[in-house]
Amino acid sequence: MDTINGNAASASAAPAAPAQQNGHREDPGGFKLKFCTVCASNQNRSMEGHLRLALANYPVISFGTGSLVRLPGPTITQPNVYKFNETSYDSIYRELEAKDPRLYRANGLLNMLGRNRNIKWGPERWQDWQVGMPRVKKETDKGFEGMEGGVADIVITCEERCWDAVIDDLLNRGSPLNRAVHVINIDIKDNHEEASVGGRAMVDLADSLNKVAKEEREKVGAAAFDSGSGAGRASFDERVPEVIGEWQERWPNLPATWTLAWF
């Protein structure tokens, strides 16, 4: 998380989350789209989304697009900086707790890191993700089931600069898998309250997209749809903008941007 500023004004305007028991939702089974959530440091917004989608029984992974993981420090010019892929959430938690437990408990970092270490091992960088490579040694990650093959159908970023970074990276990769991926940006302020609202909004969007995906998959056949080919997914791809438009009406305080890209 880069900052802990902003307010939760949009929370009062957001629709209620689906009924859950202890944070979990009953798994209806059947086909599920695969999701990927992305923010700058893979700490706050993407991890809230990761958790919410996993609790809603969706396959999900998460990443950050920054060069380094940056968390607030004692002053704005003294952030806590860590390397992606090499630093666990638990080690960051223990370091900050040793540095200044009162500060980092008060600003919510310890609570956030405590949540994160129960989701997966540590922050991962989008640009280092080898799309299509099996996700080995990730079996304990929440949302792992269904993500074993290392491919997502929907990427949800949490701010415009992350969306830009993802699109640029996909273009640079040159579409080696020739597989369509919908990249959707939801502008979520980088604070704990707004991340919570954003997480609920992601699940609402996921439910809407998955409903349409099931309908189109039934029409074209499971084999064609699951292949991820342009022909197999064309009817679903055409309906995504309409789904996002309807979702935007329910979440007017979370501006969204969408594009179709390729892995």
Side-chain angles (χ1 to χ4, degrees), residues 56-107:
N57 304 298
Y58 288 109
V60 59
I61 53 179
S62 60
F63 297 96
T65 58
S67 56
L68 293 166
V69 176
R70 292 179 171 85
L71 294 173
T75 70
I76 195 170
T77 60
Q78 296 176 291
N80 292 286
V81 180
Y82 306 93
K83 291 183 178 180
F84 280 103
N85 311 316
E86 298 180 19
T87 315
S88 71
Y89 292 119
D90 184 62
S91 66
I92 299 173
Y93 180 99
R94 288 186 283 105
E95 178 181 310
L96 297 186
E97 186 179 40
K99 281 183 176 179
D100 192 335
R102 183 175 180 179
L103 170 63
Y104 295 117
R105 191 165 289 112
N107 68 11

Side-chain angles (χ1 to χ4, degrees), residues 27-28 36 41 47 49 72-73 96 107 152 176 178 181 192 205 210 246 253:
D27 188 356
C36 172
S41 289
M47 289 299 283
L96 297 186
N107 68 11
N178 195 33
V181 57
H192 304 303
L205 178 58
N210 203 64
E246 293 173 352
N253 294 317

